[in-house]
Amino acid sequence: MKIYLTMATEMINHVHIEVIRKGADLGDLTIGVYSDSILERLGRVPYMTESERMSVFRAISGVKDVVLEDDFHFTKNLQTIKPDIVIRGSKHTATDKKIQETISAWGGKILEIPFTKGVVVDEFFRKISKQGYLPEVRRRKLNYYFKNKPLIRIIEAHNGITGLIAEKTAITTNGRTKTFHGMWVSSLCDSTAKGKPDIELVDHSSRLATIQEILDVTTKPIILDGDSGGLTEHFVHNIKSIERAGVSAIIIEDKIGLKKNSLFGDVGQNQDDIKSFCEKITAGKKARSSQDFSIIARIESLILNKGQEDAIERAKAYIQAGADGIMIHSAKTSPNEIFEFCDEYVKFGNVPLVAVPSTYNTVTEDELEKRGVKVVIYANHLIRSAFPAMLKTARLILENGRSAEADELCMPIKEILTLIPE
Ligand code: SPV
Ligand code: MG
């Protein structure tokens, strides 16, 4: 008799062993170890690699064979193995029904053992997700994404509530759940939320307070907009505090002097020379204590009309200096100059490429991914969408001498009271 059992777990406990023993007692047991992509779709970041997980199951006595399971419905593996029995935690879900359909072709049956309800399993995952907010776990997540995701989707957060939106917003289409992978703490949005201009006026302690607010209520990685990084002598100290706080990566831009927001375009700002910006990157890399903390270099050549050649020369130099990623920015409404850069970058760029499609926002994630972009940042959209609604509400109250006319723009009081659970 051939038996098939799939395993998602990374921590084997007595409940799993009991089920494996039951399977092995029935016949030749093959274990299908869930692939990374299936685990991610279940909302988990794997700790071990696929082959490590497979080798653990291979070592358990009674297990005849171990295969990788990369399909929610197991169709390919089932058709190859043709098991008489598939062990499942239930036989009533849509997935179970699809499995039963496949194995009926040779008279196979589902054996229901409700092992996934094991207290220990639930407790383990509760503990793991509780640890999600710890700096190292958060950093590891971003690095895992760098290595394993075709595209990383980041949205800005500038306080606790926007952090929660970035953390929890999800849509499901055709069984696939789509979420944001992390948060961008933008200098523009952090400054705007404080009513200040985006000119490196909001100081490090204040930026750190914003970061802490977001870290308090989220588990996803934070990429910090580090502006120019300031003086190298200051940068090496600031790196330590943001790293300790739990930031996963910082992006610093190669501007000097009074920094203005890049979306103004070329408004007479100065670009650092390659050598001194490289020294800043290298000093930052030396100052960090975690290998998982990334320092990403942002190139402003296209913003400042210095041309593609300058941008490419800088990308090469910054990577040489130790940059863990490159961000290329543009204030054009068409993505063409970004595409041109990408086409050259993919020939040598061996670190993730970051794009911020704020002005060239008709471009899709798929198009950017095809050109070699790894990280897409939606850099200012939560504050930009909140502001018009707030302004309109304030005006409606003034115009009407009451608030009823603003109801449509406002979340019902009942909902706001329960929005954040106690
Ligand atoms: C920010 O969000 O603060 C940025 C990106 O630096 S941009 O505004 O496009 O310059
Ligand atoms: Mg900025």
Side-chain angles (χ1 to χ4, degrees):
M1 201 123 73
K2 284 187 277 184
I3 320 295
Y4 189 61
L5 166 67
T6 53
M7 284 283 174
T9 190
E10 290 199 78
M11 182 176 266
I12 298 169
N13 58 51
H14 64 280
V15 184
H16 300 117
I17 294 295
E18 209 173 296
V19 180
I20 289 172
R21 218 193 46 238
K22 275 187 191 156
D25 284 348
L26 289 169
D28 289 347
L29 174 66
T30 300
I31 300 227
V33 170
Y34 276 179
S35 66
D36 285 352
S37 66
I38 292 216
L39 290 184
E40 282 164 30
R41 281 170 66 188
L42 292 171
R44 298 186 195 165
V45 179
Y47 278 69
M48 288 188 265
T49 63
E50 286 173 348
S51 62
E52 283 165 355
R53 295 198 296 277
M54 287 172 77
S55 67
V56 169
F57 284 103
R58 232 175 248 122
I60 298 175
S61 77
V63 176
K64 183 96 177 163
D65 198 9
V66 176
V67 294
L68 191 69
E69 185 50 81
D70 195 30
D71 171 4
F72 259 121
H73 297 136
F74 317 160
T75 314
K76 212 163 133 239
N77 280 347
L78 292 178
Q79 280 166 352
T80 312
I81 300 164
K82 296 209 165 37
D84 303 286
I85 290 176
V86 176
I87 300 177
R88 297 281 295 160
S90 109
K91 56 177 178 184
H92 312 292
T93 65
T95 306
D96 300 315
K97 290 201 174 104
K98 184 89 183 64
I99 292 166
Q100 183 59 65
E101 240 174 74
T102 311
I103 59 178
S104 291
W106 54 88
K109 290 207 161 47
I110 287 182
L111 172 66
E112 189 180 0
I113 306 180
F115 63 95
T116 47
K117 295 206 180 78
V119 177
V120 184
V121 180
D122 292 349
E123 187 56 25
F124 171 66
F125 283 109
R126 232 188 334 271
K127 273 184 190 153
I128 289 282
S129 60
K130 266 191 186 164
Q131 278 175 15
Y133 64 85
L134 294 176
E136 277 316 311
V137 177
R138 223 188 270 255
R139 268 195 281 277
R140 214 182 58 78
K141 264 188 204 172
L142 186 63
N143 268 288
Y144 171 82
Y145 294 156
F146 280 154
K147 288 194 195 97
N148 298 291
K149 290 259 172 234
L151 188 100
I152 303 167
R153 191 180 304 110
I154 302 287
I155 191 161
E156 74 94 354
H158 55 271
N159 55 18
I161 185 76
T162 46
L164 280 176
I165 290 173
E167 177 84 8
K168 295 197 188 295
T169 307
I171 58 155
T172 304
T173 356
N174 300 329
R176 281 199 163 257
T177 301
K178 204 169 159 189
T179 56
F180 291 97
H181 299 105
M183 293 142 303
W184 164 248
V185 179
S186 147
S187 68
L188 172 64
C189 302
D190 199 1
S191 307
T192 305
K194 292 172 171 57
K196 301 245 167 98
D198 181 18
I199 51 172
E200 297 189 273
L201 176 64
V202 178
D203 69 13
H204 182 70
S205 309
S206 182
R207 301 287 314 272
L208 209 51
T210 304
I211 292 165
Q212 294 289 6
E213 217 179 277
I214 299 165
L215 287 168
D216 264 355
V217 294
T218 61
T219 61
K220 291 184 176 176
I222 286 185
I223 301 179
L224 174 66
D225 175 359
D227 284 321
S228 69
L231 295 172
T232 301
E233 291 82 347
H234 296 173
F235 182 51
V236 290
H237 286 278
N238 292 340
I239 282 276
K240 290 188 199 302
S241 54
I242 57 170
E243 197 184 353
R244 199 168 48 240
V247 167
S248 298
I250 185 170
I251 300 187
I252 52 167
E253 60 192 279
D254 55 4
K255 286 205 199 109
I256 44 167
L258 180 66
K259 190 224 75 159
K260 292 197 180 139
N261 186 276
S262 302
L263 301 182
F264 285 123
D266 185 3
V267 284
Q269 294 181 85
N270 293 317
Q271 202 172 14
D272 203 351
D273 67 69
I274 295 183
K275 187 167 168 285
S276 75
F277 196 66
C278 282
E279 281 164 9
K280 197 182 279 186
I281 295 166
T282 310
K285 287 294 292 277
K286 273 200 196 124
R288 69 175 187 173
S289 39
S290 157
Q291 292 298 312
D292 277 342
F293 180 80
S294 301
I295 298 179
I296 298 171
R298 164 172 167 177
I299 298 169
E300 292 288 289
S301 305
L302 304 181
I303 298 283
L304 303 173
N305 294 314
K306 298 278 174 60
Q308 291 286 345
E309 250 178 60
D310 183 73
I312 292 295
E313 186 189 349
R314 285 173 181 271
K316 287 180 180 164
Y318 298 166
I319 292 174
Q320 189 73 26
D324 300 300
I326 292 291
M327 171 180 155
I328 183 67
H329 206 15
S330 165
K332 297 270 186 333
T333 50
S334 140
N336 288 347
E337 67 175 10
I338 290 289
F339 285 171
E340 209 183 309
F341 177 88
C342 291
D343 291 348
E344 207 46 46
Y345 183 82
V346 291
K347 295 179 191 162
F348 65 89
N350 56 354
V351 293
L353 182 60
V354 183
V356 182
S358 298
T359 52
Y360 56 101
N361 67 354
T362 51
V363 77
T364 64
E365 290 169 9
D366 284 351
E367 285 170 309
L368 288 166
E369 185 192 325
K370 275 193 197 110
R371 298 285 177 148
V373 170
K374 182 65 130 180
V375 184
V376 171
I377 300 180
Y378 296 95
N380 43 45
H381 298 79
L382 295 185
I383 200 154
R384 277 174 58 213
S385 51
F387 187 78
M390 293 194 287
L391 197 60
K392 219 165 165 188
T393 301
R395 292 186 69 99
L396 281 169
I397 292 171
L398 286 181
E399 279 163 20
N400 296 284
R402 62 178 196 178
S403 70
E405 284 70 16
D407 266 358
E408 254 181 49
L409 291 162
C410 297
M411 187 177 226
I413 287 172
K414 253 198 180 143
E415 274 179 43
I416 193 86
L417 289 177
T418 52
L419 182 68
I420 316 280
E422 273 173 28

